[in-house]
Amino acid sequence: MSALATSVAGQETELPLVQETAQLAFPPAIPAGAQQQLLRMFRDPYLLEAPDRADLIADLRDAVALAPEIPEVRVLLGMALCVDLQAQEAMEELRESVRLAPDSFIAHLKFGELLMRLRICDQAAEETRMAAELATSSLQSELARRQAATIRTMRREGIERGGYGKLLSVVSRVPKLLSRVHPGRRRAALEA
C-alpha cells in the first residue's frame, strides 16, 4: 500500500507514503543526489542498478573524505557497500564508525547486522547487545531485540561461520556407536 488512510475531521483521506514517514536527516556532507539514491536504497536495495550503486558509493566516499569525523556517514557508506556485496570494505567502514562513536546506536546495530549476515554470531551478538544498551527509543529497542532474536535462532540452528560443533559431536560419538556393534561387524566396519 503506497498511501496511508487517516481520519481528518471525520473524513478518510489518503496521505502519500513520503508524507507519512518522517523526513530523514542526512549529514550535510552528503550531496542531494546521493541522498535520493540512499532513499531508494532504503526502500528497496534491489532497485539500485550497478552504475547507481557505484555512483552512490563514490559520493559517499567523497563525503567520508570531507567529514571523516562523522560516524553516520561511514555507516551509510558501509550500508551501501553491503548492498554492493563488498563485505570486507563494509566491515572496515562499520568497524571504524563504531571506533569513532562508541556511543552510536546505529553504528553498533549495523555493524552487528553485517556480522550476523556473515554468520559471525558471537561478535554480532555483542554488537547488538551494545546497540540495545544504547537505544533511546522503543523503536530502537525493538530493532535491537529483533536482531538479537535472529542471532539466537542462528546459533541454536547451528548457522554460524566456523560452526563445526555438530560435525565434531557426531565424529566424537562414532567410537561409542561402534562399541555397541557386534565385534565381528565392528572389525569389518573399521577395516572398510
Side-chain angles (χ1 to χ4, degrees):
M1 175 184 260
S2 65
L4 173 70
T6 59
S7 177
V8 178
Q11 295 180 339
E12 292 285 321
T13 61
E14 295 206 5
L15 299 174
L17 183 61
V18 175
Q19 292 176 353
E20 79 183 34
T21 58
Q23 291 290 66
L24 294 176
F26 290 108
I30 299 177
Q35 290 180 17
Q36 292 303 314
Q37 293 290 56
L38 283 168
L39 289 173
R40 285 183 63 212
M41 182 182 81
F42 293 153
R43 283 188 207 111
D44 186 357
Y46 300 106
L47 289 177
L48 293 179
E49 298 293 327
D52 295 333
R53 291 191 308 264
D55 290 343
L56 176 60
I57 290 170
D59 287 344
L60 290 173
R61 285 187 197 281
D62 292 343
V64 167
L66 289 173
E69 71 284 352
I70 302 176
E72 290 81 10
V73 177
R74 289 184 184 275
V75 170
L76 292 170
L77 175 56
M79 292 169 66
L81 289 166
C82 286
V83 169
D84 200 41
L85 303 177
Q86 299 180 36
Q88 185 61 41
E89 292 175 23
M91 188 178 297
E92 292 168 11
E93 291 299 333
L94 292 169
R95 184 178 289 126
E96 183 64 13
S97 69
V98 167
R99 189 191 68 76
L100 288 172
D103 59 344
S104 171
F105 165 80
I106 195 67
H108 283 284
L109 185 75
K110 287 300 176 180
F111 188 39
E113 181 181 355
L114 176 60
L115 292 168
M116 175 186 73
R117 292 182 186 281
L118 294 173
R119 300 182 326 226
I120 306 171
C121 292
D122 290 340
Q123 290 177 349
E126 179 60 24
E127 291 299 327
T128 304
R129 185 191 62 75
M130 293 290 293
E133 289 177 3
L134 294 168
T136 58
S137 69
S138 59
L139 177 61
Q140 289 179 346
S141 295
E142 180 65 12
L143 289 171
R145 185 196 67 74
R146 286 183 181 191
Q147 186 166 302
T150 301
I151 293 167
R152 283 191 301 275
T153 300
M154 290 173 71
R155 282 177 159 170
R156 184 175 54 250
E157 293 176 358
I159 305 171
E160 186 169 3
R161 185 161 296 226
Y164 299 109
K166 287 187 177 180
L167 176 63
L168 293 177
S169 69
V170 169
V171 171
S172 67
R173 288 186 291 185
V174 169
K176 185 176 180 182
L177 292 173
L178 287 177
S179 69
R180 294 181 186 168
V181 178
H182 186 271
R185 290 184 188 161
R186 182 177 13 170
R187 191 176 358 202
L190 290 174
E191 291 174 359

